[in-house]
Every structure is written in C-alpha cells, then in structure tokens.
Amino acid sequence: MVIHSFEDWRQEAKRLVLAGVAPHEVDWQGHAGLLGGLFDATCNGEPPRALRIPRALPELLASAARFRAEDRWALLYRVLWRVAAGDRSAMLAGDIDGSELHRRVRAVRREAHHMHAFLRFRPCQASDVEFIAWHEPAHEVLDLGAEHFIGRMGRTRWAIATPDGAACFDGRALRYSHPCPPALMRLAREGDERDDALWQTYYQSTFNPARLNEKAMRGHMPVRFWQHLPEARLIPQMVSEARAGQQRLAQAADVGERDGKAVLIARERAQPARPATSALQDCQACAIWRNATCAVPGEGPQQASIMLVGEQPGDLEDLAGRPFVGPAGQVLNDALHVAGLGRDGLYLTNAVKHFKWEPRGGPTSRGATRLHASPKPAEIQACRPWLDEELNRVRPQVVVALGRTALASLLEVHDPQRIRLADFSGQPMRHKDFWLLVAPHPAAILRSREGGEMRRAELVAALKQANQLAKEA
C-alpha cells in the first residue's frame, strides 16, 4: 500500500500495531510493508490486544505528519507503538522520540505562521480569480494556512499556488487541488507587480533602523521567502543605510517636512540636522560600527577653549547622534552649572565614536535593553585618528579627559588598564599644545553606590580648574 496521506498511514499503522509488528520490522520508505512476511514477524514483548491511546495523540501525530522528512511515517509509528504498549513517555518532550515529535509539530506551526506573514497576493487577470499568490512552504501546511485568508480577503476570489497543490476560494467555498494545476502555477509565478510599490512603501515606513538586528530579522523573516516578497528587494539597501545612519536621517528629514503640531522639546534631546553622511559615518575601522545606529561626532564651537573627551556614546547618544544627551549627560550638565560653565561654549566628544553594547544578560541574551560594553584597546586605537582630527581642528587650550579610556586615548597608551586615574587627579599637565586635566566620567558617578558624591566633587573641581586655565591661557 502506498502512503499518500496521514489517513492512509493511520489505517495501515493501526493494522500493524494490532498485528504486533514492531517498528523495526516495518519499511515506510514510500510503501507500508514488512521487511519480512506480516505473520512471520515477531515483536519484543506482548503486543497490545486493543489499540488504546490518549485522545491527544492522534492530533499530535497528524500535526507532525505534515513535517517533510524521509522518516516521518517511521517516527509516527514508533511513537504510536510505544504509547499503545503503555509507554506514554513517548509523547513527552523529554523523551528522545517525543522530543523530535514536538520539534516537528512546532516547525509545522511556525511554517503555517510564515504562510500568514509572508504570502503576498497580487492582482490576477483570470476571469475566475481576482488575486493570486505563489508560496513555497517547507512543510505541508497549505490547508492550515489557507483558511486564515478567508477572513482577511472577504468575498474576493483568490487562489494560492504551491509546488505541491493549490487552494482556491470562489467567494463561498474553499477548494484544494493536488497537484497544483499548471495553468494556475504559471499565473501565480508570473504575477502582476502593480501593487508591489504599496508593499515597499509600507515596509519602508515600518522599518526601524535604530533597532536593526540582522540576525533576528533573518530569524523572523527567513531568507528563503525573500524572492517572493516585493519589499525584500529593499532590505539589502536599507540594512546598509541603517548601518551608516542614513536611513534614520532620511526618515527624520521626511518627517520634518510634514505639517504637524508643534511640540516643545529640550534642546539636548532634539534630533540634530545632519544632511549628508560624513566620512566618520562611513568608518568601519573596527567592528563596533556593525551594531551601532551611527557614529556620534563631537559638537561645540570650532574654536572652543575647553574640550571634554568621554569614553564612547551611550544608548541615547547612539539614537540621537549627539554626545552626552543621556543620564550621564545630565550629570555632566549639573556639574557644568555648579562649575559656572555653559555647555554651549564647550566642545564635547568621545574617544570612541560608536556605541559598543551587549544585550542585558550577556552577549547570548535576546534582551532588548542595550548595556554599555567597554571598548577594547584596538577599538580605542582605531578611533584615535578622529580624535586627532578634532584636536587639530578645534585647537583647545584645555582638554578634560573624562575617565580612563579618554585619558588612555589622549596619552596614546595602548591599554587603559595600565592607567590609574588617581595618579593624575587634580594635577594639570602640559601635553602637546594644551593643558590636560583628568576627571571621573559622569557615568561612573551614576554607577557609584558609595563615593558618588566624592567623584561628583572631583568632576566639578576639574571643570572649575579647566575654566581657570582657559582664562589664563
């Protein structure tokens, strides 16, 4: 008997179980039959006299039967045989057979979801079909997925064609055909691209480059579906632009041109106007750029007498494209106010221009919160030319290094761990053509459970000293 469907297998499997035929005695490769004669077969232990199985098992087996694999009927029979013999652990995910069974059930459900998410209807010129779609599912989920579209498409006449079969809805009833009619397959594969622009516009409007995670994107939208998705043509370009920060800027410019309600927003949180991508935005000298939204340049007067250098942008700085606009920036603003300095008169920058981060819980975590990760010496060194360019362009009289990483970069020390801030605290030094002061980084003050106020006082003192040195220069 040739096994064409789950129902065929079910009838044959029931007959074999009741006959006491053990799983290893059955060849399911295309045909259901015994390796020897049916009544010559022996089995280990007493076979069950009646087929008694839990109610949940048939549904579980039917779902797993949709999974395309050479051994699908063999696995189902092995589970059925064990459960019928009283070993219900075969249905559990902790069992070797049960684990594979549940894995296949999950894969089938996921494939049905993929059909709902990644099937695209296109207008059709055929007299009996208004919309048509081509889909290539990995498993046999056509009937599972097709019913979903009855509610979505209303009473329109549509058809879904796959390599193995087709589903056609005439506005009243859904019918399946196996195999797929060649004419319908040809219509579906050719399609009408008139509505592709709508899908592309929709995808562009929902794409968020600030939260781009390429690995997660490919997990949720498998690459095998891209060839049939109109919006997939945009993905490589949009990913490339997101890496460089261009897509975010383009979206901001587009929104800025629209009429809308005026909303007051603090200057520190405002989106900066950067009309074009600079050489800094194209920098790929180290690997940090891959997961950052954009490179964050310094900002301030081009002839500022005081320059503050931090370690690297934080989460909010990475999204805003400006230095010191997050919680650490607020600490710095408060310290500047106490020291009698105006932020607008200073040049603010970082030793490392991209935000290095890892998800909450570690590099393997899937958490959405981005936590600061310290840059490596090679990454600090890779950004050194950008800091040199700023120093040469602004030519400050006083530079305040906020933290060990900034100091290591300014002194061109390869490993920041070799530097003790206490050795430099409160002691201005002449370095090249400017005075160099050292102060705690505002983020270190935020993280300090003990000694936070002392570090805050050190920061204020360094800023006051920088102001005095700038006036005397």
Side-chain angles (χ1 to χ4, degrees), residues 80-376:
L80 176 63
W81 170 267
R82 290 177 57 189
V83 173
D87 183 8
R88 295 196 176 189
S89 64
M91 295 175 58
L92 303 179
D95 180 83
I96 186 170
D97 289 330
S99 174
E100 179 62 18
L101 186 74
H102 283 277
R103 184 188 73 83
R104 296 185 182 189
V105 170
R106 290 194 301 270
V108 167
R109 290 174 181 168
R110 186 165 56 249
E111 196 64 24
H113 170 73
H114 286 160
M115 183 174 177
H116 298 163
F118 305 128
L119 185 141
R120 299 289 183 263
F121 283 102
R122 286 173 165 171
C124 182
Q125 302 299 325
S127 59
D128 56 342
V129 177
E130 298 174 74
F131 295 93
I132 195 166
W134 173 257
H135 190 63
E136 297 180 9
H139 306 298
E140 297 172 3
V141 296
L142 177 60
D143 56 324
L144 286 181
E147 293 184 3
H148 166 80
F149 296 100
I150 296 177
R152 297 294 299 272
M153 300 293 288
R155 292 190 174 276
T156 57
R157 301 186 307 276
W158 51 263
I160 300 172
T162 74
D164 302 310
C168 299
F169 185 69
D170 61 5
R172 291 173 297 180
L174 181 62
R175 296 181 176 84
Y176 299 97
S177 56
H178 296 276
C180 180
L184 192 64
M185 183 181 295
R186 185 173 60 256
L187 276 174
R189 292 183 70 91
E190 293 173 355
D192 187 331
E193 299 183 358
R194 285 179 297 174
D195 289 347
D196 286 6
L198 292 175
W199 280 110
Q200 292 170 356
T201 301
Y202 170 76
Y203 189 75
Q204 282 181 310
S205 67
T206 58
F207 181 77
N208 184 358
R211 295 298 183 188
L212 174 64
N213 184 324
E214 295 180 51
K215 183 177 180 181
M217 180 183 69
R218 285 180 168 83
H220 293 299
M221 183 189 288
V223 176
R224 60 189 171 92
F225 294 116
W226 288 17
Q227 60 178 321
H228 304 304
L229 296 177
E231 63 270 31
R233 304 169 194 166
L234 304 176
I235 292 177
Q237 178 184 355
M238 294 175 71
V239 168
S240 177
E241 291 177 347
R243 288 173 178 169
Q246 292 179 347
Q247 181 69 22
R248 177 174 57 80
L249 297 177
Q251 288 179 337
D254 179 62
V255 172
E257 292 174 357
R258 303 175 188 174
D259 294 332
K261 181 179 179 180
V263 179
L264 295 177
I265 185 170
R267 179 174 180 175
E268 291 80 7
R269 298 177 58 195
Q271 170 67 35
R274 294 197 301 276
T277 301
S278 65
L280 175 60
Q281 297 299 339
D282 294 331
C283 181
Q284 299 179 9
C286 69
I288 302 180
W289 69 273
R290 295 183 182 277
N291 295 323
T293 304
C294 64
V296 179
E299 68 173 22
Q302 294 304 301
Q303 283 76 40
S305 59
I306 300 176
M307 176 184 288
L308 305 186
V309 182
E311 180 194 65
Q312 66 169 344
D315 180 62
L316 293 181
E317 287 81 1
D318 177 63
L319 298 177
R322 298 182 58 206
F324 295 101
V325 295
Q330 186 58 53
V331 173
L332 178 61
N333 291 342
D334 293 342
L336 289 172
H337 177 73
V338 174
L341 285 169
R343 177 175 172 134
D344 292 346
L346 309 178
Y347 191 90
L348 307 180
T349 189
N350 286 289
V352 176
K353 306 305 183 186
H354 285 101
F355 176 38
K356 184 176 182 180
W357 60 276
E358 62 183 27
R360 181 183 295 276
T364 60
S365 172
R366 294 186 179 183
T369 303
R370 305 191 299 175
L371 298 181
H372 164 276
S374 297
K376 298 178 181 178

Side-chain angles (χ1 to χ4, degrees), residues 48 67 154 182 296 407 463:
F67 187 93
V296 179
L407 181 59
L463 293 173

